[in-house]
Amino acid sequence: EIYTLSLHDALPIYPDLFNWLTSVFTHADYWHWFGNMLYLWIFGSILEDRFGPWKFLGLFLLCGFAATGFHWGLVDMAQNYLNLPETVKLQSTIGASGAIAGLMGMAMARFYQARVLLVIKVTPTLWTRRYIPIWVFCTYTVLWDIWGFFTGDQIAHLTHIGGFLGGLAVAPFLHLRKESREEAHMEMGQLCRESRAFQPAIQEFQEVLKINPGNTPAHEQLGFCFLGLHRPDKTADTYREQARVRFEEALELYLKEGKFNEATLLFERLMKFFDVKEFQGKIPVLLNAQQPSDGMAQAVLTSDPAERRRI
């Protein structure tokens, strides 16, 4: 049977609490779902890694509630006071885009110096890559939604704007700004190290340690930067010893954090540059951290190549 529904019959439709929750997980088609999942992967993954799964889920739902509430609140005001077309109220609020826009707001607050990689099609056969600041990307997205609201394209742009504002509103209560400075220096240091600009990289990682002396990856990265500056032909070169000290600090922090596999893997890399005896104090701790039957740990922690191959 086919049922007809007039515009008058469709109004007013206000979501209840259950609708607000389920609309975040409902999509119009596969392309709608795919686009949202792509943005969720880009912005959600960096936040979920730092918040943990349950806190991240709570923030995701909170942004979804804010997005839907913002949409329906403003649409109701527009209907009653601005006399906008009633078709605006029929815009679909299904989909995760409002909640994801909230994640974008939190990501911009936390990683305000980060850059977003865009792949741009210049000609039918030529593509180019450009990095733009995340705040430029988010500002453009919000302005596009503001413009789109007045075009009548049947997209719930207010949901995107509401979610983004909700993410920005909750960000100050998560104490993100201090952590974002730490991560911004960390990212810049890694970029410098990849470019073999070791001195600027060292400055960036040292800034990280000023903010958080217990940042284990920063100690590890500093060690590799000092190794990159090491020149064996120079008798007064102290970079190798500085690297060893940093690596020792990183190993100790890994062990305190219970990250035994990371410590063992780092030690394995260090055996290309150092002798086992130079880390004598760490060897018993590493051995005790692994199961006695763990051949990898035993192989890593022996300086005899033949014995390593046998294990």
Side-chain angles (χ1 to χ4, degrees), residues 110-177:
R110 182 160 189 162
F111 310 104
Y112 61 96
Q113 292 184 353
R115 295 174 298 166
V116 177
L117 171 62
L118 297 182
V119 180
I120 306 170
K121 188 176 183 179
V122 181
T123 66
T125 58
L126 178 62
W127 296 75
T128 184
R129 303 195 309 169
R130 290 291 183 271
Y131 285 95
I132 65 172
I134 188 172
W135 67 268
V136 174
F137 178 84
C138 292
T139 301
Y140 169 80
T141 302
V142 172
L143 290 176
W144 180 82
D145 279 313
I146 293 175
W147 176 81
F149 172 72
F150 296 98
T151 62
D153 56 5
Q154 296 302 304
I155 297 176
H157 294 283
L158 287 177
T159 306
H160 304 163
I161 299 172
F164 182 78
L165 294 178
L168 284 180
V170 75
F173 300 98
L174 301 175
H175 306 290
L176 301 179
R177 183 53 60 89

Side-chain angles (χ1 to χ4, degrees), residues 79-106:
Q79 289 287 337
N80 294 325
Y81 300 104
L82 300 180
N83 197 30
L84 289 181
E86 290 192 340
T87 54
V88 173
K89 188 172 284 190
L90 292 179
Q91 292 171 344
S92 171
T93 56
I94 64 172
S97 53
I100 295 171
L103 300 181
M104 289 175 57
M106 284 188 285

Side-chain angles (χ1 to χ4, degrees), residues 6-311:
S6 68
L7 180 62
H8 177 74
D9 294 331
L11 298 174
I13 304 174
Y14 295 98
D16 57 23
L17 189 63
F18 180 76
N19 295 142
W20 279 18
L21 177 63
T22 56
S23 65
V24 177
F25 302 98
T26 308
H27 292 83
D29 51 42
Y30 286 111
W31 284 111
H32 185 203
W33 171 84
F34 175 79
N36 280 340
M37 293 307 101
L38 178 63
Y39 272 70
L40 179 61
W41 174 65
I42 294 172
F43 292 99
S45 59
I46 58 176
L47 294 173
E48 194 272 341
D49 286 343
R50 291 156 178 82
F51 288 140
W54 296 111
K55 186 176 181 179
F56 173 78
L57 176 60
L59 292 172
F60 177 81
L61 294 176
L62 179 64
C63 291
F65 275 93
T68 307
F70 186 85
H71 171 87
W72 286 104
L74 284 192
V75 164
D76 185 70
M77 291 176 60
Q79 289 287 337
N80 294 325
Y81 300 104
L82 300 180
N83 197 30
L84 289 181
E86 290 192 340
T87 54
V88 173
K89 188 172 284 190
L90 292 179
Q91 292 171 344
S92 171
T93 56
I94 64 172
S97 53
I100 295 171
L103 300 181
M104 289 175 57
M106 284 188 285
M108 189 183 76
R110 182 160 189 162
F111 310 104
Y112 61 96
Q113 292 184 353
R115 295 174 298 166
V116 177
L117 171 62
L118 297 182
V119 180
I120 306 170
K121 188 176 183 179
V122 181
T123 66
T125 58
L126 178 62
W127 296 75
T128 184
R129 303 195 309 169
R130 290 291 183 271
Y131 285 95
I132 65 172
I134 188 172
W135 67 268
V136 174
F137 178 84
C138 292
T139 301
Y140 169 80
T141 302
V142 172
L143 290 176
W144 180 82
D145 279 313
I146 293 175
W147 176 81
F149 172 72
F150 296 98
T151 62
D153 56 5
Q154 296 302 304
I155 297 176
H157 294 283
L158 287 177
T159 306
H160 304 163
I161 299 172
F164 182 78
L165 294 178
L168 284 180
V170 75
F173 300 98
L174 301 175
H175 306 290
L176 301 179
R177 183 53 60 89
K178 180 180 179 180
E179 294 177 339
S180 64
R181 283 187 58 240
E182 175 184 343
E183 290 171 346
H185 284 299
M186 193 73 188
E187 179 186 4
M188 186 59 65
Q190 290 170 338
L191 291 174
C192 291
R193 187 199 157 197
E194 291 172 2
S195 303
R196 301 190 65 81
F198 295 119
Q199 290 289 4
I202 289 173
Q203 295 176 4
E204 294 293 336
F205 292 130
Q206 287 175 339
E207 288 296 323
V208 172
L209 294 178
K210 288 180 182 179
I211 300 171
N212 179 14
N215 189 312
T216 311
H219 286 285
E220 182 177 338
Q221 294 286 346
L222 263 177
F224 284 113
C225 288
F226 286 131
L227 272 185
L229 294 173
H230 172 58
R231 296 295 178 268
D233 55 324
K234 295 184 178 180
T235 56
D237 187 347
T238 62
Y239 288 123
R240 187 177 184 278
E241 177 58 22
Q242 293 182 65
R244 190 197 66 78
V245 171
R246 290 300 179 179
F247 288 134
E248 195 168 69
E249 182 69 23
L251 286 169
E252 185 175 345
L253 288 172
Y254 274 136
L255 293 171
K256 287 181 178 179
E257 296 166 2
K259 298 180 178 179
F260 303 125
N261 289 332
E262 287 85 345
T264 305
L265 290 172
L266 173 59
F267 204 96
E268 182 180 25
R269 295 182 66 187
L270 297 183
M271 290 305 98
K272 300 176 182 178
F273 311 102
F274 299 93
D275 188 82
V276 176
K277 296 179 181 179
E278 296 182 76
F279 294 91
Q280 190 65 36
K282 295 291 178 286
I283 293 177
V285 182
L286 282 167
L287 284 174
N288 292 330
Q290 303 291 337
Q291 297 295 326
S293 59
D294 191 339
M296 177 184 173
Q298 298 177 29
V300 167
L301 300 170
T302 180
S303 58
D304 186 355
E307 180 67 11
R308 176 178 293 189
R309 286 194 298 270
R310 185 191 68 78
I311 295 174

